[in-house]
Amino acid sequence: MTSSSNTAATTSADGSLVLAVASGANFGGTAASYDNVSITLSFSCNGITFTKMFTLSKSITGATGSTGAGANNVIIGNESVTISCTKDGLVKSAMEITIPFAGYQGTSRKACTLTDPTLPSGMTKKSNTAATTSADGSFVITVAANGTLGAAATLNGEITLSFSCNGQTFVKKLSWAKSLTGATGATGAAGADAISIAITSSNGTIFKNSSIETTLTAHVYKAGVEVTGSALTALGTIKWYKDGSTTALSTTGPTLNISAGDVTNRATYIAQLEA
């Protein structure tokens, strides 16, 4: 330790003593000793000498702990679904909804089970297969024709999914929405069919650290029936936008591949069908 500067006090300003502490200094002893060091300061003021003590203490950095266990997590491969319905809000035809899921600790697969959820009227469980350390699990829902899904006027809802993985409980949501057929006009001609888009992610929406690898797929529905191929091309082009930008990404079409380099912390992607 050395004195870097010593400025006397005046009748209008404070004085100062600046001490420089060198990197690796142990204050005259060993690294393990002299945790506290006292320095005697002698001041002269108006013909009188004053002695003060200045004490320095070491702040010791703790030892690095062992690496903790990886975080537990559950990923589901389907978080939203569109259901084709009549203009009166009834399910047009029977269909199935499949929800794949997997459990992880860090990047290692873990066994994972899903508690049978409460389903709206018109939906029933077809199967509930647990995930293992080597394969995804799945929950399959059967949607009955002419079902109201709670009420004919209800247009959307959520199903709460409770998973158990490695001793922890995780709650996820499956959102569903009705796609209504256009109503018949007063002249008897059918109204314009509704067009809607639903986006699914092949590997869920929550990822561990930078382990991001998924494919977003935009499903276009016209009158509740999915449109693909040339019929989709006739409607327009699917363009993708990220985080509210008005400039479309270079990739067009129904699918968009996302990797770790595309996302920092979090990102929002929007698909638009443009003529």
Side-chain angles (χ1 to χ4, degrees), residues 83 91 93-99 119-127 139-145 147 149 159 174:
I83 301 172
V91 177
S93 57
M95 62 177 290
E96 290 184 355
I97 302 170
T98 300
I99 309 165
L119 301 174
S121 61
M123 289 188 184
T124 56
K125 179 190 77 172
K126 179 179 180 181
S127 63
F139 184 69
V140 182
I141 299 171
T142 298
V143 184
L149 306 185
I159 298 171
L174 172 70

Side-chain angles (χ1 to χ4, degrees), residues 16 21 29 31-32 44 64 91 140 167-168 176 183 195 202 231 249 255:
S16 65
V21 181
S44 178
T64 301
V91 177
V140 182
Q168 288 186 251
W176 58 265
I195 296 178
S202 64
L249 300 177
T255 60

Side-chain angles (χ1 to χ4, degrees), residues 6-10 13-16:
N6 187 350
T7 304
T10 68
D14 290 347
S16 65

Side-chain angles (χ1 to χ4, degrees), residues 10-104:
T10 68
T11 56
S12 60
D14 290 347
S16 65
L17 173 66
V18 179
L19 302 176
V21 181
S23 175
N26 56 30
F27 300 144
T30 64
S33 65
Y34 290 94
D35 287 344
N36 299 293
V37 176
S38 295
I39 301 173
T40 302
L41 305 176
S42 182
F43 299 90
S44 178
C45 178
N46 204 24
I48 302 175
T49 298
F50 297 87
T51 299
K52 302 287 186 179
M53 300 296 290
F54 177 69
T55 302
L56 296 92
S57 298
K58 291 181 181 179
S59 176
I60 309 298
T61 301
T64 301
S66 58
T67 301
N72 296 316
N73 192 24
V74 172
I75 295 173
I76 65 176
N78 189 5
E79 295 184 337
S80 63
V81 65
T82 300
I83 301 172
S84 176
C85 294
T86 67
K87 63 182 180 61
D88 298 317
L90 305 180
V91 177
K92 263 188 175 180
S93 57
M95 62 177 290
E96 290 184 355
I97 302 170
T98 300
I99 309 165
F101 60 88
Y104 290 89

Side-chain angles (χ1 to χ4, degrees), residues 174-197:
L174 172 70
S175 300
W176 58 265
K178 293 179 178 178
S179 177
L180 304 183
T181 300
T184 302
T187 61
D193 291 331
I195 296 178
S196 61
I197 297 178

